[in-house]
Amino acid sequence: MLRLCLCLLVVGTTAVRANSAVYTKDIHLVVKTSAGDPDGEAAARRVTADINGLQLVRRHLGEDLEFHAVHDDIPEADSNARDDIINAIAQHPDVKSATQQQGFRRNKRGFRSSSSKVKNIAVSNPNGRNNTTATMGGSTNRTEQQLPEPNDPLFEKAWFLKNTGQSWGTPGLDLNVLPVWEAGYIGRNVTVAIVDDGIDYLHPDLAESYNAEASFDFNSNDPYPFPKYADYRFNSHGTRCAGEVSAKRNNRICSVGVAPGSRVAGLRILDQLYVTDLLEAAAMSHRRDIIDIYSASWGPTDDGKTLDGPLKETSRVLRDGITLGRGGLGSIFVWASGNGGPKDDCNCDGYTGSMWTISINSVTNDGSPAIYGESCSSTLASTFSSGRGAGLDAGVATVDLYGFCTLYHSGTSAAAPEAAGVFALALEANPRLTWRDMQHLVVLTSQKRGLQDESRGHKWERNAAGLKFHHLYGFGVLDAGAMVEMAQIWRPLPERFECTAGRVAQPVYFDVRQEVELTIDSNGCDFDSNSRVRFIEHVQAFVTLRASRRGDVLLFLTSPSNTTSMLLGRRPMDSDSKKGFTDWPFMTTHMWGEFAAGQWTLRAEMSASSANYTQHGLITDWTLVIHGTQDPPYRDIPDKPGSTIAQVKRIQREHLS
Ligand SMILES: *[C@@H]1O[C@H](CO)[C@@H](O)[C@H](O)[C@H]1NC(C)=O
Ligand SMILES: *[C@@H]1O[C@H](CO)[C@@H](O)[C@H](O)[C@H]1NC(C)=O
Ligand SMILES: *[C@@H]1O[C@H](CO)[C@@H](O)[C@H](O)[C@H]1NC(C)=O
Ligand SMILES: *[C@@H]1O[C@H](CO)[C@@H](O)[C@H](O)[C@H]1NC(C)=O
Ligand SMILES: *[C@@H]1O[C@H](CO)[C@@H](O)[C@H](O)[C@H]1NC(C)=O
Ligand SMILES: *[C@@H]1O[C@H](CO)[C@@H](O)[C@H](O)[C@H]1NC(C)=O
Ligand SMILES: [Ca+2]
Ligand SMILES: [Ca+2]
């Protein structure tokens, strides 16, 4: 047991990639400083003039001396590194280093059902979509005056906006946006970027909302992120996500976005074979001054055996975004939790597991987990992406490529943009909200509502701060009405601190018969005023371990207040026996609002489900990092008696006295 308090900036997420390497055309070029040229531009130009075929693509992340370049002779993807070309560039007198970027797969998190029921209906309407002037039967002649609801033909099918029980849903279980619209908030002056395969900005339901100034095509390096032509389903993903956020209201076209007054930008990175760290980083930091929210409905492969996350440059831009974005208030990064279903764990995905992203899971219109929805302790909340009825109208209604509409959008892909829309509404209500304010608002205002009591063996629990959470759903479903209401009376939070509570570094063995518990005493976090954390926000456990079968390892973290959070669930497909986890940041939000000081316990076990009693593991390193505030966070925020925040405030006050 160790007692130690160091003040560190958080360690960035490191990533491990499976499979053999793929080399891409993207080159990270670093030039040398030369007198009179502080920004390296002239040096970079000399290099391209001297080296045949080399072209500058863009300056890298606003750095003075770093550039993104390509070479005509290097193909988009190849299994061989082009050391010959790269070395020639690196030997140029003005070049400090040249690195060919490796490529990796990032998959869109849309979901295509293979159930026969959907197929049958799809046959009677082969495209599963309709054109923008078509109207849904039944509502053809209603006028705005007769019905204070939008006249958009798909609105009736948009059960996530207004759940009247369509598609066997639970009436009332929706995002609760109508009262927000009525109060006049529609996301004005908020820009949401869809980081994806482009958006159809000519679509009549999106054209007005489109923010061209904030958009960019990183795949073809131009300002027009129009989706590359393919079979319509293939590159419709970003367009569908954009419609969920910003489709216009009351224009008789398609559906309505959650924030129909917001502006939407397209950042196209996803439609080449492989993505690189340079591309991702460029997109996730693009126009931080005018993009408020970045919505990402993609990530590492959800095959239940991948362990991957943002690489060096992307980790850096996520971290920088929260301090540099929105004039210092922080970019809001929204992430789809993943489509691996019960077989995957989103804490094995470094994007969703990051503290800088708000990770969103999917539920259906009757309060069940979506079959593809992944669970993990870093999920903050849930939104809706599938109806219970498996049919045409059971997906999410939104716009589709080339002027069409769809009722088919699905997957956790559909969940993240809904959250981005809700956050846009909150930002209109209070443009001063920081990235942290947004997370606190989600924690305080999301609720269980109509969600199942028990799902996949997990129940709702109440932490010691009085907050209800669930391993699958985070703090519950987003409630736009409650969020906007609280956003209006919000007060700035106390400063945030990070405390390394301790480290256990001796190797400890565990197996199916014998679990192991490691403890760290975090009282040190209460002493040093430079890093004191009393009231918890995020908690990270950096763990290094190897196991005979990585997918059978289960990890649990218990707080001093005796709240237990599952950091890693079983992944039956993951048979890795070599790599394990190296300093992997398992994050949990479940202790939010609790008190940091006391004894923390990490329990590691091998799942008995494998029925293989020879499975074993060796945990060699565990570092516990607690994030939060010294002062009670909500002291100055007004509350109603009996509300969640009133309860949390009372518990925190009692704890201090
Ligand atoms: C599509 O529009 C046609 C008329 O153009 C209509 O007959 C059909 O029912 C519509 N389909 C859907 C799914 O709305
Ligand atoms: C769109 O729908 C309208 C009315 O439903 C129909 O008249 C028109 O032909 C359709 N256009 C296309 C391209 O399908
Ligand atoms: C609207 O349509 C319904 C049937 O769909 C019809 O009974 C009704 O008379 C129509 N009303 C108007 C004002 O056209
Ligand atoms: C809109 O947002 C920008 C920052 O993105 C801000 O500078 C400007 O004042 C806002 N305009 C209005 C009318 O609120
Ligand atoms: C049990 O696991 C060990 C180690 O991974 C492996 O060698 C053995 O084949 C497994 N036995 C069975 C019955 O799956
Ligand atoms: C901690 O919680 C567990 C249930 O999660 C319970 O069994 C145990 O008794 C509790 N321990 C203490 C000290 O309250
Ligand atoms: Ca519309
Ligand atoms: Ca996953």
Side-chain angles (χ1 to χ4, degrees):
M1 215 187 288
L2 281 165
R3 239 168 95 161
L4 149 90
C5 178
L6 298 173
C7 321
L8 309 169
L9 291 181
V10 75
V11 185
T13 308
T14 47
V16 181
R17 261 172 290 115
N19 310 328
S20 51
V22 170
Y23 297 88
T24 69
K25 64 179 164 47
D26 297 320
I27 302 168
H28 187 178
L29 182 71
V30 184
V31 297
K32 291 178 182 162
T33 15
S34 47
D37 178 28
D39 78 356
E41 175 99 26
R45 299 259 164 245
R46 278 196 298 277
V47 180
T48 48
D50 292 349
I51 297 188
N52 236 341
L54 186 68
Q55 298 170 37
L56 290 186
V57 177
R58 67 181 68 87
R59 186 180 286 282
H60 175 60
L61 303 183
E63 290 292 330
D64 294 337
L65 303 174
E66 296 180 43
F67 297 86
H68 181 167
V70 292
H71 192 283
D72 292 345
D73 294 345
I74 302 183
E76 191 172 309
D78 196 340
S79 54
N80 299 309
R82 289 304 302 270
D83 292 339
D84 52 335
I85 296 175
I86 298 297
N87 289 341
I89 301 169
Q91 276 156 23
H92 189 281
D94 285 320
V95 172
K96 193 165 167 217
S97 70
T99 327
Q100 186 175 5
Q101 290 267 297
Q102 292 200 0
F104 39 92
R105 290 208 184 271
R106 291 292 177 252
N107 299 317
K108 304 171 195 176
R109 287 177 169 166
F111 180 76
R112 269 207 258 174
S113 171
S114 56
S115 89
S116 56
K117 209 166 171 194
V118 169
K119 267 189 196 145
N120 288 342
I121 295 168
V123 170
S124 66
N125 186 353
N127 289 334
R129 59 186 183 175
N130 224 324
N131 76 38
T132 53
T133 54
T135 48
M136 303 300 297
S139 63
T140 41
N141 61 0
R142 285 181 189 168
T143 66
E144 230 178 307
Q145 285 71 32
Q146 286 167 312
L147 193 77
E149 277 173 10
N151 63 24
D152 310 72
L154 267 53
F155 180 75
E156 282 205 335
K157 300 285 187 185
W159 42 262
F160 55 101
L161 298 174
K162 185 178 183 191
N163 191 338
T164 57
Q166 311 98 311
S167 309
W168 297 274
T170 305
L173 183 59
D174 53 39
L175 294 171
N176 192 26
V177 294
L178 266 66
V180 177
W181 293 349
E182 264 162 44
Y185 297 110
I186 53 171
R188 283 182 204 88
N189 203 31
V190 178
T191 292
V192 179
I194 306 295
V195 186
D196 211 288
D197 57 12
I199 64 179
D200 177 359
Y201 46 79
L202 300 175
H203 194 293
D205 214 10
L206 286 177
E208 242 185 89
S209 310
Y210 183 62
N211 188 339
E213 189 194 6
S215 298
F216 201 79
D217 186 335
F218 292 92
N219 284 145
S220 42
N221 198 37
D222 63 53
Y224 312 107
F226 199 81
K228 186 160 75 185
Y229 179 78
D231 161 70
Y232 85 94
R233 278 176 196 273
F234 188 62
N235 285 318
S236 62
H237 191 251
T239 301
R240 292 172 168 204
C241 292
E244 288 184 86
V245 178
S246 287
K248 276 281 161 206
R249 186 176 58 155
N250 266 337
N251 62 357
R252 300 182 190 274
I253 301 173
C254 289
S255 186
V256 188
V258 172
S262 66
R263 308 196 67 199
V264 68
L267 301 176
R268 182 174 156 227
I269 59 168
L270 271 196
D271 64 10
Q272 46 191 37
L273 284 174
Y274 295 94
V275 179
T276 65
D277 192 23
L278 280 190
L279 275 179
E280 264 182 26
M284 300 307 300
S285 59
H286 186 67
R287 294 308 305 262
R288 281 183 178 130
D289 51 338
I290 53 175
I291 291 173
D292 301 290
I293 301 170
Y294 299 77
S295 181
S297 289
W298 47 270
T301 312
D302 294 316
D303 56 7
K305 55 188 177 185
T306 298
L307 180 70
D308 200 354
L311 299 178
K312 182 165 165 266
E313 302 298 322
T314 305
S315 295
R316 175 181 142 203
V317 303
L318 291 177
R319 164 87 206 183
D320 287 354
I322 59 107
T323 51
L324 303 175
R326 296 174 57 238
L329 297 169
S331 307
I332 314 287
F333 299 109
V334 185
W335 225 280
S337 72
N339 280 1
K343 292 193 165 145
D344 205 354
D345 184 294
C346 42
N347 259 358
C348 292
D349 170 339
Y351 297 87
T352 59
S354 162
M355 298 185 296
W356 322 130
T357 64
I358 299 181
S359 169
I360 299 290
N361 199 3
S362 290
V363 296
T364 59
N365 61 353
D366 68 339
S368 314
I371 47 167
Y372 44 78
E374 270 179 52
S375 56
C376 65
S377 57
S378 53
T379 299
L380 209 57
S382 303
T383 60
F384 305 94
S385 63
S386 289
R388 190 177 138 232
L392 253 191
D393 49 3
V396 164
T398 180
V399 307
D400 209 351
L401 272 184
Y402 312 133
F404 287 94
C405 318
T406 182
L407 293 169
Y408 265 171
H409 192 38
S410 183
T412 54
S413 275
E418 285 174 23
V422 172
F423 302 160
L425 297 172
L427 277 186
E428 184 189 2
N430 182 351
R432 300 297 305 162
L433 294 175
T434 67
W435 69 277
R436 264 172 81 216
D437 294 335
M438 197 63 86
Q439 297 205 13
H440 279 268
L441 284 170
V442 171
V443 169
L444 292 169
T445 62
S446 298
Q447 281 183 53
K448 174 175 183 267
R449 292 169 61 202
L451 298 185
Q452 278 181 356
D453 291 329
E454 188 169 344
S455 312
R456 294 191 200 152
H458 295 275
K459 290 185 178 150
W460 284 88
E461 292 177 59
R462 192 169 172 271
N463 77 12
L467 293 164
K468 286 203 183 117
F469 68 92
H470 190 286
H471 186 68
L472 269 76
Y473 309 122
F475 290 91
V477 281
L478 290 186
D479 182 327
M483 233 183 131
V484 166
E485 203 176 315
M486 194 173 282
Q488 291 171 291
I489 56 166
W490 194 252
R491 300 279 180 285
L493 290 165
E495 196 184 342
R496 172 179 184 277
F497 292 89
E498 306 182 341
C499 178
T500 299
R503 178 175 177 204
V504 177
Q506 66 267 39
V508 194
Y509 174 91
F510 58 102
D511 62 27
V512 179
R513 289 183 185 81
Q514 193 183 359
E515 60 186 44
V516 64
E517 288 191 348
L518 307 177
T519 56
I520 284 176
D521 184 331
S522 64
N523 284 320
C525 289
D526 217 18
F527 295 136
D528 184 341
S529 61
N530 289 321
S531 66
R532 181 188 293 147
V533 173
R534 281 192 171 143
F535 298 96
I536 299 173
E537 291 174 358
H538 309 89
V539 178
Q540 289 177 302
F542 291 83
V543 175
T544 302
L545 69 77
R546 301 283 176 275
S548 59
R549 198 169 188 287
R550 187 171 65 185
D552 284 346
V553 178
L554 308 179
L555 294 174
F556 300 88
L557 183 68
T558 303
S559 72
S561 311
N562 199 30
T563 298
T564 296
S565 178
M566 184 191 236
L567 298 183
L568 176 64
R570 183 164 182 256
R571 297 204 302 163
M573 311 304 288
D574 181 4
S575 55
D576 165 83
S577 61
K578 294 194 177 69
K579 292 181 179 146
F581 295 95
T582 303
D583 212 21
W584 186 260
F586 291 94
M587 193 270 274
T588 177
T589 58
H590 296 165
M591 287 88 175
W592 202 280
E594 288 191 352
F595 329 106
Q599 180 169 294
W600 292 77
T601 304
L602 179 73
R603 186 170 89 239
E605 32 181 282
M606 287 313 281
S607 166
S609 324
S610 62
N612 181 337
Y613 290 93
T614 66
Q615 303 293 5
H616 56 275
L618 187 71
I619 183 162
T620 50
D621 204 322
W622 166 39
T623 303
L624 178 70
V625 183
I626 308 173
H627 307 263
T629 59
Q630 301 187 359
D631 298 322
Y634 314 127
R635 211 163 35 190
D636 305 329
I637 298 168
D639 58 73
K640 286 189 213 140
S643 62
T644 302
I645 185 172
Q647 204 176 7
V648 176
K649 281 168 72 171
R650 183 181 49 76
I651 292 171
Q652 292 182 338
R653 214 167 33 234
E654 282 166 6
H655 179 77
L656 279 185
S657 61

